[in-house]
Each structure stands twice: as C-alpha cells, then as structure tokens.
Amino acid sequence: SERSERSERSERSDRALFFGGTIGAMWVLRSFLALLPMAWALPEVPPCADIHTWHNVTAFRGTWKAQLSSINEKALFYHPNCTEMGAAPTFEVVGGKAVASGSATFGFKIAEGDTFDVAYSLTLVRSSAEPLHPKDGTVSTVGTVGTGRERRLFKSMACSYVIAAAGPAQPDVRAEPFNGATCLWERNEGVGENYQVDFSPEDEDVSDTQMI
C-alpha cells in the first residue's frame, strides 16, 4: 500500500542519515585523535632534570666567541649532556652551523635562593677576520699596505644580551649591538629563548673605509 511504501522510504532515509552521521562523526573523531599527539607533544629538549630554560645560540655569518656570565644573583649554566658549564663559560659559534634537534647550546637553572631579580648576560664577539666572499683569495686589510701599520679588517663586532624575566614565561631581554653587528632573539614557547647574530657585508665595507 501507499502508506507502507511511504513508511519504508522513511525508514531507509533514517538509516542513511544514521550511518552518514555516524561515518561523519567517526571521521571527525579520527581527525581529532590524529591531531592530539601534535597538540600534546612537548618540545624536544635535552633530558636533564630541573633545567628552567634551554637556549640555542647561532650565527648567520662569521665566527664568534660567546661568553655567559651572571649579573645579579646566581645563574647556573648547563651543557646539553646535563653537566654544569661553570661560572663564566665560553664557547664558539660558527656561522651557518645549526643546533642539532633535541639538543641546545646551553641550559639555565635557577639557583637556590634566586628570585625573579636574577639576571645574566650573553656576549658574542666576532673573532673571524676573513672577508665574506674574497674574489682573489686574499684577506682584506686596512691601512696603507707596506707601511707596517696595516691590520686585518676592523674593530670587533659584538652583541651583548642582558637576560632577565619579569615573571614566569615573561622574558625580558635587552640586546645591544656594537660595530655593525645584528643582534636578534626570539621566544621558543615552552622552552626558552634563542639568540642569533649576523652582520651585513655592506657594514663590513664601511668599517674598512672608516679605519683607513
């Protein structure tokens, strides 16, 4: 009869809606579950206990000598292998050399008795004196050649960072460039701050001219 046919069509439609809705819900759930590891994954850092923050220090160009030092209260610095670096550690930063995944340049640990008035410095001084792209394989010098007064390049470029925090996850970093250096830093959420240094080839040429 017409009534039973209408009832059968309605039942088929209900089944289609049920299965369609179930498949749609399953797809949404599957997508959500697939995203959970990404949302909950912790940043890769060295497996050291009680380290407050981890930091990478890199350079785009040049070779730089870096030094860490406490300014106010006691800052503790650690290698990525979990050993302490000492009171005023130094290390070399080579242009274009990245920090390996899951590692870091140094870790910072809050010493017993420290408050949010703790502060430390990171200073990088450019130690390489080579030109960026020498055309003839020679090293640039300043001064009059043959007088004995010439020397390679110019006064050292440097970046000095004063690093503190106004509170939890509130870094307060001041960067001061010297002699044409470019001093950059960025927040790495949930890990710490990263620092990058660079310089412009044009600045290098200007420095050479000024020193002649």
Side-chain angles (χ1 to χ4, degrees), residues 49-176:
D50 303 323
I51 302 300
H52 184 59
T53 52
W54 289 103
H55 310 271
N56 292 336
V57 184
T58 54
F60 291 96
R61 299 178 178 86
T63 301
W64 307 69
K65 179 184 177 182
Q67 182 167 16
L68 292 162
S69 183
S70 294
I71 297 176
N72 188 57
E73 299 184 345
K74 187 177 183 180
L76 301 176
F77 307 111
Y78 280 78
H79 293 289
N81 65 3
C82 308
T83 60
E84 194 169 344
M85 298 175 76
T90 61
F91 51 92
E92 187 177 69
V93 178
V94 178
K97 187 175 181 180
V99 177
S101 176
S103 186
T105 305
F106 73 94
F108 164 68
K109 181 178 179 179
I110 297 175
E112 186 177 353
D114 277 355
T115 68
F116 278 109
D117 288 328
V118 65
Y120 65 93
S121 66
L122 167 64
T123 302
L124 294 103
V125 178
R126 187 181 169 210
S127 57
S128 58
E130 74 283 357
L132 283 180
H133 304 291
K135 296 178 181 179
D136 57 0
T138 61
V139 176
S140 299
T141 60
V142 294
T144 305
V145 177
T147 64
R149 292 182 298 174
E150 66 271 15
R151 64 180 181 82
R152 292 185 176 185
L153 293 182
F154 45 87
K155 289 175 65 176
S156 299
M157 292 181 177
C159 288
S160 184
Y161 299 89
V162 175
I163 303 161
Q170 299 178 50
D172 186 356
V173 178
R174 312 296 172 94
E176 186 68 29

